[in-house]
């Protein structure tokens, strides 16, 4: 069955007229949601702790900023954009004691609703608008008159208007310019975690670093190894993004294609491991492990961050990336974004 996709004419911004939207958190997604909605004519307030460094970031952009309890108390729609591990505490301490009856609660990821860390009463609409791109791109594309696609879902619809609110919010974000795909909190959460763990992060990152190790341990120059197992990856991903896997294959030599078909290290054993990881996502084991570690002060997470923060291929990475002039502006933008996001990640609602 084909997915249901909504576009620009399917959303009605008048649904948000007279409504106050509270954006909780001013991180990567938070700043994009707040600014895009504001520029679409929506009444927006950003909820942060008064001591948060993000307060000044938001005020400099002309946004109204209040404490999380104050923002929640006056909002008709509350979008929680703090990191997953902090959302339940924010909801329990700052939102639930203060929000009005029937206030809609929104998310950009289904984690806390799907796994039951947040359980709003049944009189509140619960919906999701999840951009398929980082916040700085969501903001950039909106400003350019375009949009980043989103997936949307409704978990609770006590009044029968949750889908109208969801599509109006997606339109204000600029997402309906590109399209909004209907999903569920369960589907979005489980597929998102699976993709991160098995392909996008846990797959590519380790595959590249391991390939670098195999070549350098065999005596090849690190610079050459870096080019072959990491640098050219972007070119293939760009081609695949433009025209699918076949365009990426057809753009390479016959030799490369033949090796792709016959010599891959990704096999049925890899698939079995992926299936095991999917089961841990589906039964909540991964979520519990992550949340329990976070609740204990994140000792395992911090140890793993340190362990994997110095991949071997980065011994030559900075030097080689500097060779490509077309990367220089991207490196500058990335450094600025990392600095900005690093500050607000540490101070999202603190």
């Amino acid at each position: 069955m084909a997915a249901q996709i909504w576009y620009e004419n399917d959303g009605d911004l008048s649904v948000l007229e007279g409504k106050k939207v509270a954006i909780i958190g001013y991180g990567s997604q938070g700043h994009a949601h707040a600014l895009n909605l504001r520029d679409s004519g929506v009444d927006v307030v950003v909820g942060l702790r008064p001591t948060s460094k993000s307060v000044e970031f938001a005020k400099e952009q002309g946004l109204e900023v209040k404490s999380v309890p104050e923002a929640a108390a006056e909002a008709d729609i509350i979008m929680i954009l703090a990191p997953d591990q902090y959302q339940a505490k924010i909801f329990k301490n700052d939102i639930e004691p203060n929000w009005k009856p029937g206030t809609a609660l929104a998310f950009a990821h289904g984690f806390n609703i799907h796994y039951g860390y947040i359980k709003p009463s049944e009189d509140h609409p619960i919906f999701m608008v999840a951009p398929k791109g980082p916040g700085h791109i969501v903001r950039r594309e909106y400003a350019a008159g375009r949009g980043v696609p989103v997936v949307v879902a409704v978990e609770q619809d006590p009044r029968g208007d949750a889908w109208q609110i969801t599509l109006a919010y997606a339109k204000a974000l600029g997402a309906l310019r590109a399209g909004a795909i209907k999903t569920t909190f369960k589907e979005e959460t489980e597929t998102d975690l699976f993709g991160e763990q098995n392909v996008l992060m846990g797959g590519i990152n380790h595959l590249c670093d391991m390939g670098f190790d195999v070549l350098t341990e065999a005596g090849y120059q690190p610079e050459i190894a870096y080019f072959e197992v990491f640098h050219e990856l972007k070119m293939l991903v760009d081609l695949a993004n433009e025209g699918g896997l076949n365009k990426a294959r057809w753009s390479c030599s016959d030799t490369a294609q033949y090796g792709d078909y016959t010599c891959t290290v990704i096999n049925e054993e890899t698939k079995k491991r992926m299936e095991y990881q999917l089961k841990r996502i589906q039964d909540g084991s991964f979520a519990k492990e992550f949340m329990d570690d976070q609740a204990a002060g994140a000792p395992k997470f911090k140890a793993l961050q340190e362990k994997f923060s110095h991949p071997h291929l980065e011994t030559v990475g900075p030097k080689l990336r500097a060779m490509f002039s077309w990367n220089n502006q991207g490196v500058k933008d990335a450094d600025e974004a990392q600095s900005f996001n690093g500050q607000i990640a540490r101070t999202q609602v603190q």
Side-chain angles (χ1 to χ4, degrees):
M1 182 175 66
Q4 183 168 0
I5 305 176
W6 289 283
Y7 294 100
E8 191 76 353
N9 292 334
D10 297 311
D12 182 1
L13 288 179
S14 69
V15 171
L16 301 179
E17 289 180 4
K19 291 183 170 63
K20 188 97 168 183
V21 177
I23 304 297
I24 308 303
Y26 202 69
S28 175
Q29 288 293 335
H31 87 282
H33 285 238
L35 293 172
N36 289 10
L37 264 65
R38 188 272 310 275
D39 291 350
S40 292
V42 179
D43 187 8
V44 173
V45 60
V46 176
L48 293 167
R49 294 196 182 190
T51 56
S52 170
K53 294 180 181 179
S54 298
V55 170
E56 292 307 313
F57 285 115
K59 286 184 175 179
E60 287 171 4
Q61 297 297 320
L63 291 162
E64 180 184 16
V65 180
K66 293 189 176 183
S67 70
V68 177
E70 289 174 328
E74 64 184 47
D76 301 288
I77 301 167
I78 300 172
M79 169 62 84
I80 302 182
L81 293 170
D84 290 333
Q85 63 268 36
Y86 305 134
Q87 290 185 10
K89 183 177 179 180
I90 293 168
F91 176 76
K92 180 180 180 180
N93 294 344
D94 297 333
I95 295 175
E96 194 171 32
N98 297 292
W99 63 350
K100 299 180 293 188
T103 298
L105 186 65
F107 299 84
H109 181 36
F111 187 100
N112 276 277
I113 291 293
H114 177 55
Y115 291 119
Y117 291 101
I118 294 178
K119 298 179 179 179
S121 58
E122 294 181 357
D123 61 312
H124 293 278
I126 309 297
F127 71 92
M128 176 170 55
V129 177
K132 293 293 97 182
H136 71 278
I137 294 180
V138 173
R139 179 58 181 164
R140 183 192 73 191
E141 291 301 288
Y142 177 94
R146 300 184 294 265
V148 170
V150 293
V151 296
V152 292
V154 168
E155 185 76 5
Q156 290 183 183
D157 190 9
R159 300 190 300 260
D161 63 348
W163 276 111
Q164 291 177 311
I165 296 171
T166 302
L167 294 178
Y169 187 103
K171 182 168 184 171
L173 190 62
L176 296 190
R177 299 169 182 172
I181 302 175
K182 184 179 181 180
T183 186
T184 64
F185 273 67
K186 171 182 168 65
E187 182 178 59
E188 186 277 337
T189 302
E190 294 178 356
T191 57
D192 184 78
L193 293 177
F194 177 85
E196 291 169 352
Q197 294 173 23
N198 293 277
V199 181
L200 304 177
M201 300 292 290
I204 289 173
N205 288 353
H206 296 277
L207 189 65
C208 291
D209 205 36
M210 190 173 293
F212 180 86
D213 285 349
V214 169
L215 286 178
T216 54
E217 288 168 8
Y220 298 101
Q221 296 181 80
E223 292 81 0
I224 301 300
Y226 180 91
F227 284 137
E228 298 303 336
V229 304
F230 188 68
H231 171 75
E232 294 185 16
L233 180 64
K234 182 184 184 303
M235 301 176 192
L236 287 174
V237 171
D238 286 346
L239 288 165
N241 187 55
E242 293 170 6
L245 290 177
N246 280 336
K247 180 170 183 178
R249 283 174 166 143
W250 296 337
S251 299
C252 296
S253 68
D254 290 351
T255 312
Q257 284 189 59
Y258 188 79
D260 173 8
Y261 304 142
T262 64
C263 302
T264 180
V265 297
I266 308 301
N267 55 28
E268 286 301 312
E269 289 303 313
T270 310
K271 184 178 180 182
K272 289 178 182 177
R273 183 66 183 174
M274 287 183 170
E275 290 169 343
Y276 167 74
Q277 299 293 3
L278 178 58
K279 288 178 181 177
R280 295 192 70 242
I281 292 168
Q282 292 170 330
D283 66 20
S285 299
F286 169 79
K288 185 177 187 305
E289 178 184 323
F290 171 70
M291 294 297 274
D292 286 352
D293 182 62
Q294 290 290 319
K300 182 175 181 179
F301 177 70
K302 291 174 182 176
L304 290 170
Q305 270 191 322
E306 177 59 29
K307 177 181 179 181
F308 291 105
S309 63
H310 307 290
H312 296 164
L313 56 77
E314 283 305 305
T315 57
V316 295
K319 177 177 68 175
L320 298 185
R321 287 193 292 272
M323 295 172 64
F324 298 93
S325 59
W326 58 86
N327 275 346
N328 290 342
Q329 184 58 44
V331 169
K332 180 181 178 183
D333 291 345
D335 288 343
E336 291 175 352
Q338 184 175 13
S339 175
F340 175 76
N341 290 334
Q343 293 179 54
I344 52 188
R346 291 189 294 271
T347 61
Q348 294 242 8
V349 290
Q350 298 174 10

